[in-house]
Amino acid sequence: MRILLVEDDPALGPDLKKELAGLGYAVDLADNGVDGEALGFEDIYDLAVLDLGLPQRPGIEVLKNWRKRSNNIPTLILTARSSWQEKIDGFDAGADDYLAKPFHTEELVARMTALLRRAKQQPTKQLEASGLLLNEKTQAVSVDGQLEIELTGMEYKLLRYFMHNPGRLLSKLQIVEHIYDDGAENDSNVVEAYIKMLRKKIGKDRIQTKRGQGYTFVNHL
């Protein structure tokens, strides 16, 4: 999943980006409200983590502007303030969840995961589709109830994105934008190679190629 992180703290922002990337997320970091708001209107993000105390434009204003323009990206707001009024203001502006600083990264990830599941209408603790059960802690997959098969980091990102979007036609560009970090090598031709390797592990029929268009994850085998 691709995450927009809007955080101006020069230590916390890069540290969070590194930790989330290590957990398999593609993360773009903005350190001010103006850039963060602009990035939020790009239709490539699955979730936003938004600090309220931002320079140039407050996080509350950023969130209100997103919602005014019907941008319903799931948003978790961060703040160093503990005031209950700040929480209410955030929810009134359209926030989906709230986390006060300081916090443990594990709690942030747990809340992000819950938001993503709700947004994708995935109620279970593990991703399950088309006879596959994806273990997000071990980054392994069980096929038709068999023993788990280990996945590489990129295979895991790719499969998770497909399983969150069953039946949806995904272009190479969409796939690249969601599974690669902004600073990573993102040659779309590499996607074909990873899909080929993934098919060997989960079965070739689960990912169908639409020539000239992209790929579709089949949710009914």
Side-chain angles (χ1 to χ4, degrees):
M1 298 293 102
R2 193 168 197 89
I3 307 299
L4 173 59
L5 173 61
V6 191
E7 169 59 65
D8 67 309
D9 188 299
L12 179 60
D15 285 349
L16 275 179
K17 177 177 179 178
K18 183 178 179 180
E19 290 186 58
L20 293 174
L23 293 171
Y25 295 95
V27 184
D28 291 337
L29 173 63
D31 62 4
N32 65 79
V34 172
D35 290 343
E37 181 178 322
L39 284 172
F41 283 114
E42 296 186 16
D43 189 24
I44 61 174
Y45 297 107
D46 300 283
L47 182 143
V49 177
L50 176 67
D51 183 32
L52 293 186
L54 295 169
Q56 300 186 33
R57 185 168 297 160
I60 287 289
E61 186 176 338
V62 170
L63 183 55
K64 286 180 178 178
N65 290 340
W66 283 346
R67 298 305 189 239
K68 283 179 183 177
R69 293 175 56 183
S70 300
N71 181 354
N72 295 316
I73 179 174
T75 302
L76 187 155
I77 56 176
L78 304 176
T79 180
R81 313 175 191 114
S82 59
S83 168
W84 63 268
Q85 187 62 52
E86 290 290 339
K87 298 180 183 180
I88 292 176
D89 289 345
F91 286 124
D92 285 345
D96 298 282
D97 203 354
Y98 183 102
L99 192 57
K101 299 175 183 176
F103 55 83
H104 293 288
T105 304
E106 292 81 3
E107 182 179 3
L108 173 63
V109 171
R111 289 177 178 271
M112 286 171 48
T113 302
L115 273 182
L116 287 168
R117 288 199 181 104
R118 291 203 297 270
K120 302 295 183 180
Q121 297 183 337
Q122 176 60 255
T124 61
K125 293 184 178 180
Q126 292 180 307
L127 279 178
E128 187 171 6
S130 191
L132 304 179
L133 186 63
L134 184 63
N135 188 325
E136 297 187 88
K137 289 187 177 181
T138 63
Q139 296 193 3
V141 62
S142 172
V143 181
D144 296 326
Q146 302 300 309
L147 293 177
E148 287 188 346
I149 301 171
E150 291 185 5
L151 301 171
T152 66
M154 193 56 66
E155 288 170 348
Y156 168 71
K157 288 183 181 182
L158 185 60
L159 181 56
R160 183 172 63 178
Y161 184 46
F162 275 128
M163 292 178 71
H164 270 299
N165 294 276
R168 179 183 172 191
L169 179 61
L170 301 172
S171 68
K172 283 186 182 180
L173 179 59
Q174 286 176 303
I175 293 171
V176 165
E177 288 176 337
H178 280 81
I179 68 175
Y180 284 105
D181 286 317
D182 55 356
E185 178 64 35
N186 58 4
D187 183 357
S188 63
N189 291 325
V190 178
V191 170
E192 293 183 15
Y194 281 115
I195 287 178
K196 182 178 181 180
M197 291 187 290
L198 191 56
R199 280 171 169 158
K200 291 181 179 179
K201 295 184 176 182
I202 67 172
K204 63 180 182 179
D205 294 333
R206 287 185 169 90
I207 301 175
Q208 295 184 351
T209 301
K210 305 292 184 180
R211 292 197 176 277
Q213 300 180 69
Y215 302 92
T216 300
F217 178 75
V218 179
N219 194 23
H220 48 81
L221 288 180

